[in-house]
Amino acid sequence: EGCNSINVMIVFVAFMVAFGSFSWRKLWFILAGLLLIYLLNLTRVTFLFWVADSMPHYLYFMHKYVFTIFIYVVVLVLWYLWIFKFHDKAAVAA
């Protein structure tokens, strides 16, 4: 558990659901975000395999810190994009 990115997906969706009302635009953004997180996690696992094979002494550091920070930064960027670029501000004001 943890390496399958489900916990990161839950955090992403929880924020999206908590931020504003339902819209089809939000649903599509959530689905696109989940797909991106999933694909990045597959890439992370691939790179971890490469690190384990070529530089095993860096595996713990890369797994525990570098890739964890990377995936959470991507989630923060997705939230930022939703709030400042894609979110319909007129619907919130109404």
Side-chain angles (χ1 to χ4, degrees), residues 4 9 13 18 24 30 36 49 62-63 65-66 78 80 83-84 92:
N4 58 12
M9 292 178 183
V13 171
W24 290 109
I30 289 172
L36 178 66
F49 175 78
M62 297 296 279
H63 179 265
Y65 300 108
V66 173
L78 285 172
Y80 176 86
I83 293 169
F84 294 109
V92 174

Side-chain angles (χ1 to χ4, degrees), residues 1-15:
E1 199 274 317
C3 289
N4 58 12
S5 75
I6 290 179
N7 54 352
V8 178
M9 292 178 183
I10 290 170
V11 170
F12 171 70
V13 171
F15 173 83

Side-chain angles (χ1 to χ4, degrees), residues 6-74:
I6 290 179
N7 54 352
V8 178
M9 292 178 183
I10 290 170
V11 170
F12 171 70
V13 171
F15 173 83
M16 293 299 297
V17 169
F19 191 83
S21 60
F22 172 80
S23 70
W24 290 109
R25 187 178 196 174
K26 180 190 275 190
L27 180 64
W28 282 108
F29 191 84
I30 289 172
L31 293 175
L34 290 175
L35 180 63
L36 178 66
I37 292 168
Y38 178 75
L39 293 174
L40 287 175
N41 191 57
L42 287 177
T43 304
R44 179 186 75 93
V45 170
T46 303
F47 276 116
L48 283 174
F49 175 78
W50 176 76
V51 169
D53 187 46
S54 61
M55 302 176 287
H57 50 284
Y58 289 116
L59 180 62
Y60 178 78
F61 179 77
M62 297 296 279
H63 179 265
K64 184 72 175 171
Y65 300 108
V66 173
F67 289 117
T68 301
I69 290 169
F70 173 73
I71 201 145
Y72 277 104
V73 166
V74 168

